[in-house]
Amino acid sequence: MVRWFCPYCWGEVDERDEICPHCGADLKGFSSLDYDQKLILALDCPITQSRMFVIEVLGRRKTQDAVPKLCRMLFEDRDTFELIEIAKALLNIGTADALECLQRRMKTEDNLILKRFLEEHL
């Protein structure tokens, strides 16, 4: 049996649903989003491995629209490996706001592994 999930809130939905019963999102409208927009939504995926892949892809694609979300994620309580992947993505994107976010995080960092990574790459 296939299980379907809302790409906006990750609540379980029926494959025939046009509107998410959990968050009210237009599920039919999802197909009209471009690839980068879909990737940005996938940053909220509850499966860590999927999220890590999405973070890497957004960085490789240099998706500037992902910077605000990635920056918020960088300041959340997350696994060190995920934080480093977020930092790598922001470095790859390389915009002024991405680099400023990394600088702010480095100044407030208490995770020594992440702090060392940021010091080496900024």
Side-chain angles (χ1 to χ4, degrees), residues 30-46:
F30 179 76
S31 63
S32 68
L33 297 177
D34 71 27
Y35 184 62
D36 287 333
Q37 292 169 318
K38 290 176 182 176
L39 285 172
I40 292 168
L41 285 175
L43 288 171
D44 291 322
C45 178

Side-chain angles (χ1 to χ4, degrees), residues 109-121:
E109 189 50 53
D110 57 354
N111 179 325
L112 294 178
I113 296 170
L114 181 58
K115 185 174 186 108
R116 198 167 301 137
F117 175 84
L118 292 171
E119 288 171 348
E120 289 174 5
H121 291 88

Side-chain angles (χ1 to χ4, degrees), residues 65-84:
D65 289 343
V67 171
K69 176 73 176 173
L70 289 169
C71 188
R72 282 192 302 278
M73 292 171 69
L74 189 64
F75 284 87
E76 294 171 357
D77 184 26
R78 294 180 177 270
D79 176 82
T80 300
F81 294 108
E82 187 171 2
L83 292 171
I84 289 173

Side-chain angles (χ1 to χ4, degrees), residues 17 20 26 29 34 48 53 58 67 70 79 95 110 115:
D17 287 342
C20 175
D26 175 14
D34 71 27
T48 304
F53 176 73
L58 286 166
V67 171
L70 289 169
D79 176 82
T95 59
D110 57 354
K115 185 174 186 108

